[in-house]
C-alpha cells in the first residue's frame, strides 16, 4: 500500500499513560506558550480549507465561514463544502483503499496512530489555540481536548496490538482452533463540535487502527479544527484513501453518507435526534449492500448531581460550578440538574449562588473568563428559550450579565424544578442549572434516574451506605462519587451512556475497538 511507514516499532511501546491534563493558567510553560499560540493562530485566520479525498486536496466553489463565537466578525477559516458528488468520491476512495488497508498488519497500523500522537503533542498549544478561537473554549478546556485526542491515539494503538494477536482457543480432539478479528470495511465518522479534536480523533483513530477506512464528516461548527486531523494523519504518513475529510452540512450529505451501500459502519457522536435518525436509516438495507450496518452511537445527557445531607461544601461549590458551567455547559457530561436533599438545601444553595455571582464571563482567550460564548446564534436562541422556560417552570435564583457582542447567554440558576418540568427532562446544552429540592436521599436517587438519558452523574455524600447504594442504583454510564461529573479520562474512565444517551459502546475503554471489527474463528485438522 502506498504511504510511508513511520517505522516506530510497536513492540517497544511503553505501557499507556494518560497525557498530563492542563497544569493551570499560571503554570510557567502555559503562561508563556498560550498567548503566543493564540497570536500565531490569529495571524493565520481566514484561510481556505479544502476537502481531503484519496490523499488529495479538493476545493469546492462553495465554502462556509467558520467564525469566532466571541466575535462573529472574525472569520476563523473558510471551509470548502462537500456535496453529494464529493461524498460519493470519498466513499469510493475509502472502499478502494479498504481492500489493501485491511491487510496491513494490526501492529503496523498502530504505528501510524503513535506517530499521529507525536505530531499532535508537538503542536499542543497551537492546536488548543485554534479551539479557543473557533469554539470559544477556555485555555484549560482546549488543552484537555487535545490531550484526550492524543490519549485516544496512544490507547487505541496499544489496544489494537493486544487485539491483533490471534487467540488460541485450544483444541478439541484433533482439531486446533484460533480466533482473530478482521475490519468491517468503510466507516463513516460523524462528529459533534463540542470536543472537536478529541471525539473526532477518537472515532477516526479507532476505525483506522481496526483496519477500516474512514469518511469523516466534522460538525459544520468545528470544521477548521476538523481539518487538523487531515494535517496530523498526513504527517503520520497514512496511505491515500484511508482517511477522507468531507465537511459539509449534515442536512445535505448526512443521509447520503449514512444510506450508502458502500458503508458497513457509522460512528456517530451528537444529539439524540440525529443519532436516532441514523440508527433508523442504517437499519434499512439496499439491494446492492453487502453489510448489515453497525452503528456506534453516543448521544446526549441530562446529568444530575445529588447532594446528600453531609458533604464537603467547598469541594461541592467548586465541582458543581465546573460541571454545570465549564465550557458554558456545552458538554454531554455537564450537570444540568442539581438535586439537593431538604436537610442541606437552605444551608447550601445560597452559598452556591453567591459563588456563581463571582464568575467572570467573557472571551475564552482571556484566561480570567470562567465562562465564554456558546457555539453559535442558533444555540444562543435555543438556550435563551430555556432560560425563559426556567423562569416559568421555576424561580430564577441568578441570571448573569453578558457582553453585548458575541454569542453569549447568561449563566442561569433556577430552583423549584421537579421531574415533571421540561427543564428536568430535556437536554439544554448550555449554562442553565436546574435545582431540585428532594425530600430525602431516596427521592433524590429516584429523581436522578427519572429521565430518558443515562450518561453521567455524581453524588456528594459522607454517608458510605448512600455511596454504595448509588453505585448500584444511580444508573448512568459514568458515575462519580464526591467529585465533578465531567472530565473522563481515556482508559481509566471509559466514557459513554445507555438509554437515550447511547448504545453503550464506551469510548476509551477495552471493548471499544471490537465495535469496528468482526471476529472470525478458524478450525484446522
Ligand atoms: P448534532 O446536531 O446532532 O450534530 C452532530 C453531527 O451530526 C454533526 O456533524 C452534524 O452535521 C451531523 N448531522 C446533522 N444532521 C445529520 C443527518 N441528517 N445525518 C447525519 N449527520 C447529521 O450535535 P452537535 O450539536 O454537534 O453536538 C451536541 C450534541 O452532542 C449534544 O446532544 C451532546 O450531548 C452530544 N454529545 C454526546 C457525547 C457523548 O459522548 N455521548 C459527546 C459529545 C457530544 P452539521 O454540523 O453539518 O449539522
Amino acid at each position: 500500500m502506498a504511504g510511508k511507514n513511520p517505522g516506530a516499532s510497536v513492540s517497544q511501546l511503553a505501557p499507556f499513560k494518560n497525557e498530563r491534563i492542563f497544569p493551570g493558567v499560571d503554570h510557567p510553560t502555559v503562561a508563556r506558550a498560550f498567548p503566543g499560540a493564540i497570536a500565531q493562530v490569529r495571524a493565520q485566520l481566514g484561510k481556505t480549507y479544502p476537502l481531503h479525498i484519496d490523499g488529495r486536496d479538493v476545493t469546492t466553489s462553495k465554502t462556509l465561514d467558520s467564525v469566532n463565537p466571541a466575535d462573529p466578525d472574525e472569520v476563523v477559516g473558510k471551509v470548502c463544502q462537500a456535496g453529494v458528488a464529493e461524498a460519493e468520491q470519498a466513499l469510493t476512495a475509502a472502499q478502494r483503499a479498504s481492500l489493501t488497508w485491511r491487510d496491513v498488519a494490526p501492529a503496523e497500523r498502530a504505528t501510524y496512530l503513535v506517530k499521529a500522537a507525536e505530531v499532535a503533542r508537538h503542536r499542543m498549544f497551537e492546536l488548543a489555540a485554534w479551539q479557543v478561537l473557533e469554539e470559544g473554549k477556555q485555555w484549560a478546556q482546549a488543552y484537555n481536548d487535545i490531550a484526550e485526542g492524543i490519549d485516544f491515539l496512544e490507547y487505541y494503538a496499544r489496544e489494537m496490538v493486544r487485539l491483533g494477536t490471534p487467540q488460541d482457543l485450544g483444541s478439541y480432539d484433533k482439531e486446533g482452533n484460533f480466533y482473530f478479528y478482521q475490519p468491517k470495511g468503510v466507516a463513516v465518522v460523524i462528529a459533534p463540535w463540542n470536543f472537536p479534536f478529541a471525539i473526532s480523533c477518537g472515532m477516526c483513530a479507532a476505525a483506522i487502527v481496526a483496519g477500516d477506512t474512514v469518511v469523516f464528516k466534522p460538525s459544520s461548527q468545528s470544521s477548521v479544527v476538523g481539518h487538523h486531523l487531515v494535517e496530523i494523519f498526513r504527517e503520520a504518513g497514512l496511505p491515500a484513501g484511508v482517511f477522507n475529510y468531507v465537511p459539509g452540512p449534515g442536512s445535505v450529505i448526512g443521509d447520503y453518507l449514512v444510506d450508502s451501500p458502500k458503508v458497513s459502519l457509522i460512528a456517530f457522536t451528537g444529539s439524540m435526534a440525529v443519532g436516532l435518525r441514523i440508527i433508523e436509516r442504517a437499519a434499512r438495507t439496499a439491494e446492492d449492500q453487502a453489510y448489515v450496518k453497525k452503528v456506534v452511537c453516543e448521544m446526549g445527557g441530562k446529568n444530575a448531581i445529588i447532594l446528600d445531607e453531609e458533604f464537603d461544601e467547598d469541594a461541592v461549590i467548586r465541582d458543581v460550578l465546573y460541571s454545570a458551567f465549564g465550557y458554558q455547559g456545552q458538554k454531554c457530561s455537564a450537570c444540568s440538574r442539581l438535586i439537593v436533599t431538604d436537610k442541606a438545601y437552605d444551608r447550601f444553595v445560597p452559598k452556591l449562588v453567591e459563588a456563581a455571582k463571582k464568575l467572570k464571563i467573557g472571551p475564552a482567550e482571556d484566561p480570567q473568563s470562567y465562562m465564554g460564548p456558546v457555539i453559535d446564534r442558533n444555540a444562543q436562541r435555543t438556550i435563551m428559550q430555556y432560560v425563559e422556560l426556567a423562569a416559568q417552570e421555576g424561580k430564577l435564583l441568578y441570571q448573569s450579565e453578558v457582553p453585548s457582542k458575541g454569542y453569549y447567554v447568561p449563566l442561569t440558576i433556577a430552583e423549584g424544578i421537579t421531574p415533571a418540568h421540561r427543564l428536568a427532562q430535556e437536554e439544554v446544552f448550555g449554562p442553565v442549572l436546574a435545582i431540585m429540592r428532594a425530600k430525602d436521599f431516596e427521592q433524590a436517587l429516584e429523581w436522578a434516574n427519572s429521565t430518558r438519558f443515562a450518561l453521567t452523574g455524581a453524588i456528594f455524600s459522607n454517608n458510605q451506605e448512600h455511596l454504595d447504594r448509588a453505585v448500584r442504583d444511580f444508573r448512568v454510564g459514568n458515575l462519580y462519587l464526591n467529585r465533578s461529573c465531567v472530565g473522563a479520562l481515556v482508559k481509566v474512565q471509559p466514557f459513554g451512556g445507555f438509554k437515550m444517551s447511547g448504545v453503550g459502546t464506551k469510548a476509551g475503554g477495552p471493548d471499544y475497538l471490537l465495535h469496528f471489527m468482526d471476529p472470525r474463528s478458524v478450525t484446522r485438522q
Side-chain angles (χ1 to χ4, degrees):
M1 173 134 224
K4 58 181 191 309
N5 182 341
S9 166
V10 281
S11 58
Q12 293 158 8
L13 285 180
F16 173 81
K17 202 165 142 250
N18 292 98
E19 277 299 297
R20 184 177 184 189
I21 58 169
F22 188 66
V25 290
D26 298 326
H27 186 278
T29 312
V30 173
R32 199 175 48 247
F34 234 116
I38 292 175
Q40 182 196 348
V41 164
R42 188 158 259 133
Q44 300 173 61
L45 296 189
K47 280 195 307 195
T48 299
Y49 292 86
L51 319 180
H52 187 73
I53 299 174
D54 209 11
R56 284 189 300 274
D57 287 345
V58 175
T59 50
T60 56
S61 53
K62 196 158 189 236
T63 59
L64 178 78
D65 283 355
S66 187
V67 302
N68 178 350
D71 177 4
D73 292 334
E74 186 168 63
V75 176
V76 174
K78 293 176 174 297
V79 182
C80 287
Q81 295 292 286
V84 163
E86 290 80 12
E88 184 57 36
Q89 282 170 26
L91 289 165
T92 304
Q95 194 176 43
R96 197 169 44 239
S98 144
L99 299 179
T100 36
W101 183 244
R102 68 184 180 188
D103 293 331
V104 174
E108 191 180 332
R109 296 196 301 258
T111 61
Y112 290 96
L113 264 55
V114 173
K115 178 71 167 90
E118 251 173 62
V119 176
R121 204 176 280 116
H122 192 66
R123 293 178 59 184
M124 188 79 181
F125 285 100
E126 180 241 339
L127 291 177
W130 282 102
Q131 299 198 6
V132 172
L133 296 182
E134 192 187 35
E135 282 82 31
K137 281 208 163 202
Q138 289 74 24
W139 292 14
Q141 307 282 350
Y143 183 100
N144 288 342
D145 185 71
I146 309 299
E148 188 180 359
I150 295 171
D151 280 352
F152 280 130
L153 290 162
E154 295 279 8
Y155 178 64
Y156 291 149
R158 286 158 177 80
E159 280 294 283
M160 195 59 231
V161 173
R162 175 176 72 83
L163 293 166
T165 310
Q167 297 169 51
D168 183 347
L169 298 183
S171 56
Y172 180 81
D173 203 359
K174 287 186 195 134
E175 291 174 351
N177 305 286
F178 66 98
Y179 190 77
F180 65 101
Y181 298 100
Q182 71 168 16
K184 280 181 171 291
V186 174
V188 163
V189 173
I190 302 177
W193 49 265
N194 68 331
F195 289 95
F197 182 75
I199 290 181
S200 304
C201 182
M203 291 192 289
C204 292
I208 290 168
V209 82
D212 300 316
T213 52
V214 170
V215 175
F216 167 52
K217 196 209 93 57
S219 161
S220 294
Q221 284 91 343
S222 60
S223 296
V224 171
V225 166
H227 192 267
H228 292 152
L229 283 183
V230 177
E231 297 159 22
I232 284 163
F233 287 134
R234 184 192 275 145
E235 207 172 325
L238 205 61
V242 174
F243 174 75
N244 303 278
Y245 162 82
V246 285
S251 55
V252 175
I253 59 168
D255 287 350
Y256 188 83
L257 291 170
V258 168
D259 294 349
S260 169
K262 295 191 168 78
V263 170
S264 39
L265 180 140
I266 299 144
F268 169 81
T269 305
S271 64
M272 181 179 82
V274 176
L276 295 181
R277 180 187 177 95
I278 289 174
I279 287 174
E280 193 180 332
R281 294 188 79 98
R284 302 177 196 161
T285 43
E287 282 282 319
D288 54 345
Q289 181 178 324
Y291 251 80
V292 176
K293 289 173 193 167
K294 166 95 185 179
V295 184
V296 174
C297 185
E298 308 296 333
M299 302 183 285
K302 188 69 201 174
N303 313 303
I305 293 182
I306 294 178
L307 302 188
D308 199 8
E309 289 169 24
E310 295 298 329
F311 45 81
D312 173 347
E313 288 189 1
D314 291 339
V316 172
I317 288 173
R318 182 195 63 216
D319 288 358
V320 167
L321 293 177
Y322 186 67
S323 302
F325 305 118
Y327 191 36
Q328 297 75 270
Q330 300 174 114
K331 296 182 189 176
C332 50
S333 53
C335 167
S336 63
R337 296 177 296 149
L338 180 66
I339 308 175
V340 189
T341 50
D342 192 53
K343 281 202 176 135
Y345 198 98
D346 294 327
R347 158 171 62 91
F348 177 74
V349 170
K351 289 184 196 161
L352 180 78
V353 174
E354 281 316 301
K357 286 180 181 168
K358 298 196 181 97
L359 302 179
K360 188 167 174 270
I361 298 171
E365 64 185 285
D366 175 356
Q368 302 310 316
S369 303
Y370 189 88
M371 223 181 75
V374 297
I375 192 69
D376 64 9
R377 190 182 302 285
N378 279 342
Q380 185 185 37
R381 221 177 275 135
T382 307
I383 297 164
M384 284 313 295
Q385 286 165 4
Y386 279 104
V387 171
E388 282 164 30
L389 186 67
Q392 289 160 22
E393 292 189 327
K395 181 180 152 216
L396 288 184
L397 291 179
Y398 179 54
Q399 191 175 1
S400 70
E401 298 289 320
V402 293
S404 54
K405 189 169 189 189
Y407 303 133
Y408 290 90
V409 296
L411 184 159
T412 303
I413 302 178
E415 68 174 352
I417 302 300
T418 71
H421 290 132
R422 280 178 57 202
L423 212 67
Q425 297 296 331
E426 296 170 18
E427 187 181 44
V428 177
F429 224 58
V432 181
L433 179 65
I435 305 192
M436 308 169 78
R437 185 195 279 253
K439 67 177 190 292
D440 53 20
F441 173 70
E442 280 305 317
Q443 188 174 53
L445 201 51
E446 187 194 320
W447 284 6
N449 288 324
S450 69
T451 75
R452 296 172 82 193
F453 297 102
L455 191 49
T456 75
I459 168 170
F460 285 83
S461 176
N462 288 339
N463 181 328
Q464 190 55 45
E465 230 173 85
H466 286 181
L467 293 173
D468 292 344
R469 185 63 208 292
V471 169
R472 193 187 68 197
D473 289 336
F474 193 161
R475 295 178 192 276
V476 290
N478 287 68
L479 178 69
Y480 301 95
L481 309 180
N482 289 318
R483 61 149 275 191
S484 74
C485 63
V486 295
L489 292 173
V490 169
K491 180 176 180 284
V492 286
Q493 293 147 358
F495 186 78
F498 45 91
K499 286 166 75 180
M500 288 298 156
S501 292
V503 292
T505 41
K506 288 282 185 206
D511 302 327
Y512 191 68
L513 292 189
L514 297 179
H515 303 294
F516 294 77
M517 303 185 283
D518 287 320
R520 286 171 60 186
S521 164
V522 175
T523 298
R524 65 180 147 216
Q525 268 283 0

